[in-house]
Amino acid sequence: TVKEIAERVTVLTVTNSVAFKHMSGPEAVLYLIENNISELITPKEKHFLQDPSEDKINQETWKCECIWTLMWVLNIVDNLGFPNEMADLNNIPFEKYPIGKDKNPIDFINSQVEVRSKAEILDANDLYYRLDWACVDARINGNQITEVNSGVVYERHYALNWLINHFDEEWDDVSCDT
């Protein structure tokens, strides 16, 4: 639902803020509790916030691509863009971002009323499935694809698979089989 997408992107922006060291793990947990959205974090996100080790931080920074993709689905981002470089979340206007100083994330969640069409989402999912396969195929065969960033492709594919309920998997368990 629109609400579930808005909730997911909100939690991702909080964990991403920890990954980019805009807040600490404990500050993020407190923020989630104070704003009555702590029940939305997944077990892996909870583990990350409790122990944001460098390895986990490196993994979590890639979630900016999931944020970008979900913001596209919510019609906040106009165009996903070509996956040759990481999305710049600074291109999302502050007033349309889920969290921030003196912002209540519930206001963001409740203000989302529409998403892109199923056809647009499925077309994007198909494209990213194929791009992901091209990256995997290249890696398997010892080749390198320079036209796209395989990490960007994977994370966008991940978010899109979650959106289409690929194998009915929860966020922590989404697979990107190709």
Side-chain angles (χ1 to χ4, degrees), residues 24-61:
S24 69
E27 288 171 329
V29 170
L30 183 60
Y31 180 85
L32 292 164
I33 291 168
E34 287 175 345
N35 287 285
N36 298 312
I37 55 174
S38 61
E39 75 282 356
L40 300 175
I41 62 173
T42 68
K44 284 184 182 176
E45 289 165 338
K46 184 176 184 178
H47 188 257
F48 168 71
L49 294 177
Q50 292 172 339
D51 178 28
S53 67
E54 283 305 310
D55 282 345
K56 292 178 200 168
I57 287 171
N58 289 336
Q59 289 176 323
E60 203 63 34
T61 58

